[in-house]
Amino acid sequence: MRILLTSLTPDNGGPLKSLVNLMKTLRTLPEIRVDSMTLLPEDLESPTLFERKVVASRNPAALAHLLRRIAARAPAYDLIQVHLPSPGLAVIGDLIKLLTRRAVVIVFDTQLVDQWRSAPLYLWSDFRYFFRRMLISNVLMATAAPYLADAYIVSSRYQLQQLRYTLARRRRLSVIPNIPFVEEPARPSMASARATLGVPPDVPVVSYIG
């Protein structure tokens, strides 16, 4: 079986790392051949992919070029898995399905924006980033798509609930948590971590992940 993994994620953040590890895992199976294609100038197999900040162009020409590449290479694959930043861009998955006429699985990396009461605070902190996200990643954009792909995947039940009012409910919907790193990262000692970050040994540290 030949699989094409493709992503419209515009930078080399967490979702792309998850995709890289998925590719590594699939390649351990002898009956599966996996290739990749993204908006980034560097390939997913490049050793320098995560060593520096890589930001791809968000202009329509870059997207059109990627879609042409996917359509041209589609006949060589049995399955195309497309990672989209948000259900607000689901229509791009529909376009890929129409262009390729192959089995297409769509993975939504993030959830829709639904905390509108906090919108002023978000816009104040980074207007350009959050305005663009609110403009695209919202319920109206998500419900406008016909959802033509064969299956859809999200990483949490909360994301699944957000799609209950869209036409995605007619398709196969699955919740699959993001794949962990294939290689367990080395865990530094507390002393070396403080030294690296320049935190004195007697200063309390409070952290938050969310």
Side-chain angles (χ1 to χ4, degrees):
M1 183 177 187
R2 298 192 62 182
I3 301 175
L4 175 63
L5 296 178
T6 180
S7 172
L8 271 76
T9 301
D11 57 48
N12 60 350
L16 201 62
K17 291 180 180 179
S18 176
L19 184 61
V20 169
N21 284 289
L22 173 61
M23 182 176 65
K24 290 180 179 180
T25 301
L26 290 174
R27 284 185 172 173
T28 63
L29 305 175
E31 67 275 16
I32 294 180
R33 178 177 175 180
V34 184
D35 296 316
S36 65
M37 188 184 302
T38 74
L39 281 170
L40 296 176
E42 296 184 82
D43 188 82
L44 289 181
E45 299 177 85
S46 171
T48 62
L49 179 61
F50 298 109
E51 291 181 2
R52 62 184 177 84
K53 184 64 176 177
V54 181
V55 179
S57 173
R58 293 182 174 88
N59 62 55
L63 174 59
H65 179 63
L66 177 61
L67 293 178
R68 286 196 298 267
R69 290 167 59 204
I70 294 173
R73 293 178 58 180
Y77 298 96
D78 304 297
L79 173 68
I80 300 174
Q81 180 165 311
V82 184
H83 287 242
L84 296 176
S86 161
L89 297 173
V91 68
I92 296 178
D94 299 328
L95 183 58
I96 291 175
K97 175 65 177 180
L98 294 174
L99 289 173
T100 63
R101 300 182 182 273
R102 286 290 185 269
V104 174
V105 175
I106 303 296
V107 180
F108 295 126
D109 293 329
T110 61
Q111 65 193 41
L112 295 170
V113 175
D114 58 1
Q115 302 296 326
W116 294 104
R117 288 181 295 182
S118 303
L121 179 61
Y122 292 138
L123 292 172
W124 177 264
S125 64
D126 191 335
F127 180 84
R128 183 178 179 181
Y129 171 80
F130 286 106
F131 179 76
R132 183 169 55 239
R133 185 176 179 190
M134 291 175 184
L135 190 65
I136 297 174
S137 186
N138 60 70
V139 175
L140 291 179
M141 290 290 291
T143 54
Y147 291 87
L148 303 177
D150 300 275
Y152 292 86
I153 298 173
V154 293
S155 60
S156 69
R157 293 191 177 276
Y158 186 78
Q159 289 176 277
L160 186 67
Q161 288 298 315
Q162 287 188 324
L163 295 177
R164 66 188 183 276
Y165 297 121
T166 71
L167 292 177
R169 65 182 184 274
R170 303 184 306 176
R171 303 293 180 178
R172 182 177 178 182
L173 281 166
S174 302
V175 178
I176 302 178
N178 291 329
I179 190 169
F181 288 100
V182 175
E183 299 179 0
E184 182 68 21
R187 297 184 179 183
S189 65
M190 293 180 62
S192 63
R194 284 177 174 270
T196 301
L197 299 174
V199 180
D202 58 339
V203 174
V205 176
V206 178
S207 62
Y208 169 78
I209 299 175

